[in-house]
Amino acid sequence: MSQPDSYTNSDTYSESQVILTSVRIIAPFTLTYGMFLSLHGADTPGGSFQGGAIIGVTVLMLAFAFGIDPTRKWVKSSFIAGLITGGVTIFIATGLFTMALGGNFLEYDAIADTFGIAHYWGMEAIEVGGVALIVAGAVMTLFFATAAGFTPERHGNDTDSARSGSGPEVGRDD
Amino acid sequence: MIETAVAYTLAIFILLAAVATALFRDVLSAIVVFGAYSLGMAILYTFLLAPDVAMTEAAIGAGVTTILLLLTIARTTRPSTDRLFERINVPAVIVVGAFVLVLGTLLPDMYAVGTESAPIWGEQGVLTETPSLYYIENTFSDTGAQNAVSAVLASYRGFDTFGEAVVVFAAAIAVLLVLKREVFT
Amino acid sequence: MIELLASRYAYALMFVLMGVGMYMMIANQNLVKKLIGVNLFQTAIFLFFVAVAYVEGGSAPIVPTEGAPGAMASPLPHVIVLTAIVVGIALTAVGLALIVRIHSEYGTLREDTLREVRADE
Amino acid sequence: MSNADLILPLLVAVPILMATAPIALGLRFDRTGWSVTALTTTGLLAATAYLASAVYSEGMVTHELGGWPREFGIQLVADEFSTLIALLVIATATAVLAYMRVGGPRGNTFYAGYLLLTGGLLGLSLTGDVFNMFVFLEIVGLATYALIASGDGPESAVSALKYLILGTVGASLYLIGVGFIFMATGTLNMQVLSEIMPEVLAQGGQNLVLMQAAFAFIFVGFALKVAQWPLHTWQPDAYQHAPDGVTPVIAALVSTAYAYALGRLMYTVFGPEFLTSTPYLTEIVVTVGCLSVLAGSTLAVIQTDVKRMFAYSSVAQFGLVVAAFGLVTETALIGAIIHLIGHAVMKAGLFAAAGVIAVSYGARTVNEYAGLADNRPFVAGGTALLLIALIGIPPSAGFIGKWYIAVGSVQAEMWPVAVVILLSTMLTLAYSARLLEKMYFTPATPVESPHPSAPVATDGGHEGEDGDDAHGSEHSDESAGDVGASAFTDAGRIGRGNPEAVSLGMLTLVIVAAIVAVLLGFAGGELYDLLDPFATEVFNE
């Protein structure tokens, strides 16, 4: 199952030296800031939603500066899929783990009672391990999918397919 | 007092930005003004003691939303503009105006902004031990976190956050389905 | 009247913003602008919750490690708004993806043109 | 049954956890979606059945998430009402999979979306917190928009966008209602709210006005989501243009879950006392419901597209449910719940039948149904049975719901509702009879191509393969998709669909739905007894 890797939207960015340089300088900082926000949300304003979004936006900045195609080649589909599915899995696994220890869903005190780890770390687990990953992955997905746009793979026969409305013809190109 | 004055000014700025967003004929201009609107909102939130919300609005409302909107018009067309503003649709204005006026009749019954004698603080209502009071008093001893918003988000109402994470996941899946892509493009 | 508006300015602003959002959904023919209208409608509600949580002369809800916390904004509505903002961006993103697809199928973003194209089929 | 409550979070979390599986596995394998989904829903069905046995023998089961007391945390609640809806959701989600195996749509992201929809619907039915309900409303919404847009035609994207905009406005109005509830009481928990409502009523004044405003926002929001006239416009488009495999799920579950949420809020949060004591409230709710019944039925009669006709019929049936909610009597409330269940079963069957007929007979409009009974006796029989149930001829699912609602309207001394029920039955008879007459008494005309524009050449190459592929050997999903698509070109060529493209599972779904719709007619008394504790508690608090 492979989609054609052609992106016809190189017109969405301009290869300006100023932008390239500034993104090169800014990107490490925004990435750090995003991580700081994710990790430090329990005591100060900010948290994993904002942090994850900023991490995602960093990748978007790179895409704007270097073009969407090259960025897509660095950021693999499996990486993005891993971020999102991993985040959801960690989140739910935390909840199920507390249930396995005899607590309720997401009752971190069950972990605290069994392993002596503070309640606090249960929150960190779902924030950093769950939400931040999901948000960062989703921001990238939303951006790259929209940038790639909709490429109808059908043979330009609208009256027919409008009536059929069933069975997307996936994978015909391979 | 100075804070109230700033808040009023911001409120007026936000209102003007919203009206400009509605009336600009050029979509690009509307998007830019809408971004300014979101930033104005974010600043107003900091004056209303909600730094977490302000940061989210700035990062997501002004940041990600604007990027996605810009990307969309880059992927589609931008209609040529002959006029600066849209023609005002009078029937719609009348309908909407009536709607706003009806809602306005609710104002006298709403509690004043910033008052502490409101049901959420256990006064003038039925409940005396409200969740709002409980969270502020017990967040640190219950969870060990100082930011009460984080504590409510991740612990007391962790299930809401679960739902929120699922919404984000669902959005990613939905975009792939809508654009008919099998893999995470 | 003036006093009423001054003490409840955030709610009044919320109602007007809801009206502006609704106007955009009804009157604007461009689908992107309709979606911005939906967004505007939602942000008005966020303002409502933040205003409900606000306490005059209070502080942001960061509790001290020791001692009794003073007057503070309620964290609960803030959490609600955080969730709602994320829900809002999710809906916007899906809406935009739909718009991109509609544009590549019909070649237009205007609702009136779209109606004509569909009627022709 | 000390640990039945642990099932509650699992019912929500497991489908969502499993939704990641098709995506993760999709990186390595092509087609795992259907199997993963089928395993998950079957397992959940068993768990829900276990939960139901606990609830109906020992009463309400609750789970306090995070171990926090309900005042400060979020609670999941399974009572007689929500358990029934959860059971309906998971049973329907499992059953419709039988259709999708061959009928499509397919693809890993599609099944991820399908599992998200299931998890969202279960969360929506089990949550006991008004804001948490908003979150699940949006999960359900997002998944629904995506599933509708997974259709091939460009129309499906337009209908999905229309639904997205109106659905978001509906959910936003609900959120404003939540804000007013919070402002007036300071809490978001449904049970706490139901306990303090009498005091709010006694106190009166400002807080009561805020609660009335909250009700107004919530009711308008749900009127949009449940597709009440005149806010129903998104629904016919959405149902018509969704893929044939998706429409049964959406028509049976999504609006049903929204109607459940409305009922839950009206009766648990606001309570009968609030509903009857607020001036004009019941009259308005009943009027909106009755207008939807009449408008929906009338519009259904004049439709030519069968899926669209059924969609308008749904507007009418949900109107009946909303009107019954507005009657505020025990009998009407139970009648509304039973009608919700019955309608879901009948519409799942009817839309599945419409899909089967479209694929196997190439018929989508009423006129194209001519001669169906002679050529496709089984699916025609199933459709006929379901239509008879929909009209409400006893004994059938459609009859008992209407019967209890009518009895409730007499108890509430709202005679016009009984008259509206009678009128709607006549109108339902009118459009059902049109279809039945075509199916059984109009001979099939030798067809000149109904869609002359369909190019014959495109799928011609598949003609030889069709027969083999349709028997659905394990690896043939992909080519089975071609069968579905080419069925229409066949229809264009010889005026008939491809009977081979219909699997046993697709046909079974129709027949089983028809049988269940009839059996429910006999089980009216039992259902009433199951729901009676809920209604008694609501009305005697």
Side-chain angles (χ1 to χ4, degrees):
Chain A
M1 186 60 239
S2 71
Q3 296 287 337
D5 262 327
S6 62
Y7 299 95
T8 51
N9 53 316
S10 46
D11 54 332
T12 50
Y13 72 101
S14 57
E15 216 165 285
S16 142
Q17 208 55 43
V18 182
I19 293 181
L20 278 176
T21 319
S22 39
V23 165
R24 246 186 222 131
I25 296 168
I26 295 172
F29 287 103
T30 52
L31 196 65
T32 319
Y33 181 56
M35 289 182 173
F36 170 79
L37 276 185
S38 316
L39 293 169
H40 219 259
D43 291 329
T44 52
S48 45
F49 276 105
Q50 299 91 324
I54 290 175
I55 294 172
V57 169
T58 308
V59 177
L60 269 51
M61 270 167 50
L62 294 177
F64 268 117
F66 297 100
I68 292 169
D69 283 347
T71 317
R72 275 288 298 127
K73 292 202 178 90
W74 302 335
V75 187
K76 297 227 159 42
S77 297
S78 53
F79 173 70
I80 302 180
L83 278 181
I84 298 186
T85 54
V88 174
T89 311
I90 290 174
F91 201 132
I92 296 179
T94 313
L96 297 184
F97 186 57
T98 58
M99 283 175 80
L101 294 175
N104 283 358
F105 191 71
L106 293 177
E107 185 173 357
Y108 313 122
D109 284 335
I111 307 181
D113 295 344
T114 316
F115 297 102
I117 303 170
H119 187 98
Y120 188 87
W121 293 106
M123 288 165 55
E124 291 286 329
I126 65 150
E127 287 230 22
V128 179
V131 176
L133 294 187
I134 301 172
V135 173
V139 168
M140 291 179 220
T141 310
L142 300 181
F143 179 80
F144 286 128
T146 313
F150 179 67
T151 40
E153 286 159 75
R154 280 164 293 105
H155 318 289
N157 174 24
D158 277 346
T159 28
D160 185 35
S161 52
R163 288 176 45 85
S164 86
S166 71
E169 298 169 50
V170 284
R172 293 198 73 166
D173 48 319
D174 42 0
Chain B
M1 200 55 228
I2 185 93
E3 283 180 12
T4 338
V6 175
Y8 289 164
T9 318
L10 274 170
I12 291 169
F13 169 77
I14 288 168
L15 184 59
L16 291 177
V19 173
T21 314
L23 293 185
F24 267 127
R25 197 172 153 73
D26 180 32
V27 184
L28 181 62
S29 320
I31 292 172
V32 172
V33 181
F34 185 62
Y37 162 90
S38 293
L39 279 179
M41 264 310 190
I43 299 169
L44 182 58
Y45 291 154
T46 56
F47 280 94
L48 292 173
L49 306 179
D52 287 273
V53 180
M55 287 170 84
T56 314
E57 178 69 29
I60 292 181
V64 181
T65 308
T66 310
I67 291 177
L68 289 177
L69 283 168
L70 288 174
L71 187 65
T72 307
I73 59 162
R75 288 293 309 167
T76 56
T77 48
R78 206 174 125 205
S80 60
T81 35
D82 41 356
R83 290 192 308 278
L84 184 59
F85 293 114
E86 301 251 5
R87 219 175 263 120
I88 291 177
N89 182 336
V90 179
V93 171
I94 294 172
V95 170
V96 167
F99 170 73
V100 173
L101 284 180
V102 170
L103 293 184
T105 60
L106 287 171
L107 279 180
D109 287 305
M110 297 173 84
Y111 290 91
V113 176
T115 177
E116 270 192 275
S117 56
I120 70 161
W121 301 112
E123 285 182 40
Q124 297 195 36
V126 174
L127 288 178
T128 46
E129 174 65 12
T130 63
S132 302
L133 288 170
Y134 177 88
Y135 293 144
I136 291 176
E137 275 162 28
N138 299 297
T139 287
F140 191 70
S141 57
D142 275 353
T143 68
Q146 276 183 273
N147 185 351
V149 175
S150 287
V152 177
L153 187 90
S155 186
Y156 295 108
R157 294 182 72 88
F159 198 64
D160 269 351
T161 309
F162 170 65
E164 188 180 359
V166 176
V167 166
V168 176
F169 177 44
I173 297 281
V175 167
L176 293 180
L177 263 175
V178 166
L179 297 173
K180 303 238 168 184
R181 300 197 169 260
E182 271 296 285
V183 286
F184 277 75
T185 316
Chain C
M1 181 70 188
I2 297 291
E3 203 211 342
L4 188 72
L5 276 181
S7 61
R8 292 161 177 77
Y9 70 98
Y11 305 136
L13 179 60
M14 159 208 174
F15 291 148
V16 177
L17 290 179
M18 277 168 64
V20 176
M22 216 165 164
Y23 174 84
M24 287 183 78
M25 284 184 257
I26 300 172
N28 276 312
Q29 292 295 328
N30 186 299
L31 292 177
V32 177
K33 289 195 72 179
K34 266 189 204 293
L35 210 58
I36 297 179
V38 176
N39 239 300
L40 234 153
F41 193 83
Q42 289 182 309
T43 42
I45 306 169
F46 307 157
L47 178 63
F48 176 35
F49 278 95
V50 174
V52 171
Y54 176 66
V55 172
E56 206 162 288
S59 62
I62 313 286
V63 296
T65 48
E66 283 167 18
M72 259 180 203
S74 169
L76 182 51
H78 293 181
V79 172
I80 289 177
V81 177
L82 286 184
T83 310
I85 289 178
V86 176
V87 169
I89 174 74
L91 287 161
T92 311
V94 176
L96 289 175
L98 283 166
I99 289 176
V100 168
R101 175 161 160 200
I102 290 171
H103 182 264
S104 54
E105 306 246 32
Y106 289 106
T108 180
L109 284 184
R110 288 184 63 82
E111 201 190 24
D112 41 7
T113 325
L114 194 62
R115 210 173 287 134
E116 285 165 26
V117 176
R118 290 172 66 198
D120 284 347
E121 274 190 3
Chain D
M1 302 252 181
S2 58
N3 55 0
D5 76 293
L6 292 179
I7 293 176
L8 292 175
L10 290 179
L11 283 182
V12 185
V14 169
I16 289 162
L17 180 65
M18 296 312 284
T20 63
I23 300 294
L25 293 172
L27 296 171
R28 192 165 287 269
F29 308 103
D30 262 3
R31 315 240 167 245
T32 48
W34 191 86
S35 332
V36 169
T37 312
L39 270 175
T40 313
T41 53
T42 316
L44 291 175
L45 184 58
T48 315
Y50 177 71
L51 175 71
S53 71
V55 170
Y56 289 117
S57 59
E58 285 160 48
M60 187 162 81
V61 173
T62 61
H63 183 93
E64 284 167 337
L65 293 152
W68 300 108
R70 63 179 192 191
E71 286 86 351
F72 313 123
I74 297 176
Q75 195 187 29
L76 294 178
V77 180
D79 63 4
E80 289 84 2
F81 187 8
S82 58
T83 311
L84 197 60
I85 300 294
L87 211 52
L88 172 78
V89 166
I90 193 67
T92 314
T94 314
V96 175
L97 278 176
Y99 182 99
M100 288 176 176
R101 180 75 183 90
V102 174
R106 48 185 67 79
N108 290 324
T109 32
F110 173 79
Y111 283 109
Y114 189 76
L115 279 168
L116 281 173
L117 178 69
T118 312
L121 287 167
L122 286 171
L124 183 58
S125 43
L126 294 174
T127 185
D129 184 281
V130 285
F131 179 69
N132 196 241
M133 183 176 260
F134 168 78
V135 177
F136 281 106
L137 277 179
E138 293 293 28
I139 296 175
V140 171
L142 274 171
T144 314
Y145 313 142
L147 294 188
I148 291 171
S150 70
D152 254 354
E155 291 281 342
S156 62
V158 180
S159 344
L161 185 66
K162 192 173 180 184
Y163 190 6
L164 183 137
I165 290 177
L166 289 174
T168 307
V169 173
S172 302
L173 290 172
Y174 171 67
L175 185 60
I176 300 175
V178 172
F180 275 99
I181 290 180
F182 181 71
M183 192 186 224
T185 64
T187 185
L188 296 171
N189 184 282
M190 290 184 190
Q191 285 186 350
V192 174
L193 281 166
S194 79
E195 281 159 24
I196 64 174
M197 254 334 264
E199 280 179 76
V200 174
L201 276 170
Q203 198 183 40
Q206 197 174 0
N207 290 337
L208 186 59
V209 176
L210 291 177
M211 286 305 269
Q212 287 165 349
F215 183 85
F217 279 112
I218 290 175
F219 183 71
V220 176
F222 275 104
L224 250 171
K225 284 240 166 209
V226 182
Q228 291 299 285
W229 188 86
L231 305 171
H232 68 277
T233 50
W234 58 267
Q235 202 203 35
D237 284 348
Y239 285 10
Q240 186 187 356
H241 299 302
D244 286 340
V246 170
T247 317
V249 196
I250 293 179
L253 298 182
V254 175
S255 289
T256 307
Y258 294 155
Y260 155 80
L262 177 63
R264 167 67 66 192
L265 291 163
M266 281 176 78
Y267 283 92
T268 300
V269 174
F270 290 99
E273 205 187 333
F274 174 88
L275 299 178
T276 44
S277 69
T278 306
Y280 304 117
L281 189 149
T282 51
E283 286 85 347
I284 291 173
V285 174
V286 169
T287 311
V288 168
C290 288
L291 284 176
S292 303
V293 172
L294 296 176
S297 307
T298 316
L299 286 166
V301 173
I302 59 174
Q303 296 306 314
T304 51
D305 186 284
V306 173
K307 273 174 94 177
R308 212 173 166 82
M309 176 199 275
F310 292 156
Y312 277 110
S313 143
S314 284
V315 173
Q317 305 299 326
F318 282 115
L320 198 55
V321 171
V322 169
F325 282 152
L327 291 173
V328 201
T329 67
E330 264 188 71
T331 322
L333 175 60
I334 294 179
I337 299 170
I338 293 178
H339 199 62
L340 268 184
I341 307 281
H343 170 260
V345 172
M346 294 183 291
K347 276 293 149 65
L350 281 172
F351 278 109
V356 169
I357 294 166
V359 173
S360 80
Y361 199 61
R364 281 183 181 272
T365 62
V366 175
N367 287 333
E368 287 170 356
Y369 272 48
L372 186 73
D374 290 335
N375 293 294
R376 307 281 183 275
F378 288 108
V379 70
T383 313
L385 217 52
L386 286 163
L387 283 172
I388 289 169
L390 188 69
I391 299 168
I393 293 169
S396 69
F399 169 73
I400 47 167
K402 281 184 188 174
W403 171 253
Y404 286 130
I405 297 174
V407 172
S409 75
V410 174
Q411 286 172 351
E413 291 178 0
M414 294 242 204
W415 290 96
V417 178
V419 176
V420 166
I421 293 176
L422 193 68
L423 269 175
S424 92
T425 306
M426 307 307 268
L427 286 166
T428 315
L429 187 65
Y431 59 72
S432 303
R434 250 178 90 204
L435 210 53
L436 288 170
E437 192 268 338
K438 281 286 170 203
M439 276 162 38
Y440 281 91
F441 302 111
T442 308
T445 41
V447 183
E448 79 288 9
S449 165
H451 316 294
S453 65
V456 176
T458 38
D459 281 1
H462 293 290
E463 203 176 8
E465 304 159 22
D466 282 352
D468 300 331
D469 286 339
H471 295 297
S473 53
E474 200 57 33
H475 65 277
S476 71
D477 275 344
E478 214 168 278
S479 21
D482 293 343
V483 173
S486 63
F488 297 98
T489 7
D490 289 344
R493 210 176 305 135
I494 57 165
R496 287 285 174 270
N498 179 3
E500 303 286 323
V502 176
S503 71
L504 190 62
M506 293 160 84
L507 205 57
T508 315
L509 176 61
V510 178
I511 308 287
V512 167
I515 293 170
V516 171
V518 174
L519 285 183
L520 275 177
F522 290 103
E526 283 74 13
L527 275 175
Y528 193 99
D529 292 341
L530 282 185
L531 290 164
D532 196 45
F534 169 74
T536 314
E537 200 197 317
V538 162
F539 278 89
N540 293 340
E541 224 166 57

